Amino acid sequence: MMLRSAVQRLAMQEELNFLLTNRIPRHALTRFMGWFSKIENPVVSSASIALWRFFCDVDLTDAPEKRFRSLHAAFTRPLKPGARVVDADPAIVASPCDAIVGAHGRVKDGQAYQIKGLEYSLAELLGDAATAAAFADGWFVTLRLTAGMYHRFHAPHDLTVDSVRYISGDTWNVNPVALKRIEKLYCRNERAPIIARLNAGGARIALVPVAAVLVASIRLPFLDSEKPVRDGGTGVRPVSARFAKGEEMGWFEHGSTIVVLSPPDCPPVALEQGAQIRMGQPLMRVPRNSDPD
């Protein structure tokens, strides 16, 4: 415990944290991690999982299994039944994932803020100005998944996915230390904006999974059950995939971030930056004119 505390204190030193997690060959290390994490040798998997649990705050009490064939299997573990309660109120858009609440608030002139003093363009984040126009005066909530968290994400409401755009990019760390130093960080990293509409009323909503250092891939099984999103190449993929509220949509293969965008009449509930939120808990409110189908 003393060693772990000492390591955590070192990690809290911002300059050292930034150097260790960003001034490294990010792409090469991420590709290596993608390969290494899938090794199913019992000695390798046991040692790597032990190190992961030592350095990260990992809680496996909600996993259906406690032993994993690889580090990758531990990262992408599912939940045991009943481990999360999804808010059933049709007036609530639920959190799609377990996360730490980051920057959130009103979109102003098509800009969202990354951290105090730094902003980014939704058109750049989404890769398309016309798509961004639907959220120009709307709302945004940033949800950061840490390395030890549950890494799967779920439908925040009954919805239909209309398109997914894959945008290739960098793999900067997405922690607060990097957010202070790298302008437009979310617009630089690999991401896969998911554009959907609520089945009740048709309000547009966007989920933007943003990859980060050591993230081997973003997986969306409704696009391809076998391959990560990047294998399909850059560009837009029209889809028509319906999800019930709380239904699994995809996962990261390490910790990262999801930016949630909503229209002006779909504001966030009272959120506190830095607070933890669990998948299924209230995140936003559905427009009042959104009647059931």
Side-chain angles (χ1 to χ4, degrees):
M1 291 297 294
M2 292 180 62
L3 177 59
R4 182 177 180 181
S5 297
V7 171
Q8 289 177 336
R9 284 196 299 271
L10 283 173
M12 290 177 67
Q13 296 181 22
E14 291 195 1
E15 291 297 335
L16 180 60
N17 183 295
F18 186 75
L19 287 173
L20 291 176
T21 61
N22 291 288
R23 297 307 185 191
I24 54 176
R26 294 183 300 276
H27 281 291
L29 192 57
T30 297
R31 287 193 297 270
F32 169 79
M33 190 65 179
W35 166 80
F36 177 80
S37 67
K38 295 181 177 68
I39 295 176
E40 296 186 2
N41 179 288
V43 175
V44 173
S45 62
S46 296
S48 57
I49 290 172
L51 283 172
W52 169 56
R53 298 190 69 177
F54 176 80
F55 286 107
C56 304
D57 187 13
V58 182
D59 181 4
L60 298 177
T61 58
D62 53 14
E65 299 179 7
K66 301 299 182 287
R67 297 179 65 86
F68 303 94
R69 65 183 183 277
S70 67
L71 180 59
H72 174 266
F75 278 151
T76 61
R77 65 195 182 277
L79 290 172
K80 63 184 178 184
R84 298 289 182 277
V85 176
V86 178
D87 193 307
D89 187 344
I92 290 294
V93 173
S95 176
C97 59
D98 288 5
I100 296 173
V101 177
H104 58 280
R106 195 88 195 219
V107 177
K108 297 180 180 179
D109 300 321
Q111 301 280 319
Y113 68 91
Q114 173 175 299
I115 206 164
K116 188 175 181 179
L118 295 178
E119 296 182 336
Y120 60 91
S121 160
L122 294 193
E124 193 171 352
L125 177 74
L126 298 173
D128 180 70
T131 302
F135 309 103
D137 297 305
W139 303 89
F140 73 98
V141 178
T142 310
L143 300 172
R144 183 169 68 92
L145 294 78
T146 64
M149 285 181 172
Y150 169 66
H151 299 137
R152 300 190 179 213
F153 49 93
H154 299 245
H157 207 277
D158 297 337
L159 55 78
T160 299
V161 175
D162 292 327
S163 68
V164 176
R165 179 188 294 270
Y166 174 70
I167 304 171
S168 180
D170 210 323
T171 56
W172 291 100
N173 197 333
V174 292
N175 66 6
V177 174
L179 291 174
K180 291 179 182 179
R181 289 163 169 76
I182 307 298
E183 293 185 6
K184 300 181 179 181
L185 192 155
Y186 302 131
C187 299
R188 295 170 182 259
N189 274 16
E190 177 183 351
R191 55 203 183 278
I194 301 168
I195 309 301
R197 52 191 163 82
L198 303 187
N199 293 341
R204 289 284 172 183
I205 192 167
L207 305 178
V208 188
V210 181
V213 65
L214 302 184
V215 176
S217 65
I218 298 169
R219 293 293 305 275
L220 299 175
F222 64 89
L223 282 183
D224 191 315
S225 61
E226 301 295 331
K227 298 177 182 178
V229 180
R230 71 158 65 98
D231 283 11
T234 58
V236 181
R237 297 166 219 183
V239 294
S240 181
R242 291 176 69 94
F243 291 90
K245 191 176 189 179
E247 187 176 353
E248 184 180 299
M249 297 182 73
W251 61 85
F252 292 107
E253 298 190 345
H254 198 56
S256 195
T257 289
I258 296 179
V259 180
V260 183
L261 305 175
S262 66
D265 53 358
C266 190
V269 301
L271 298 172
E272 181 180 349
Q273 187 165 336
Q276 290 198 24
I277 190 170
R278 282 194 155 195
M279 189 280 288
Q281 291 182 331
L283 186 74
M284 294 171 164
R285 298 191 180 278
V286 172
R288 292 181 180 180
N289 62 350
S290 294
D291 299 320
D293 289 340

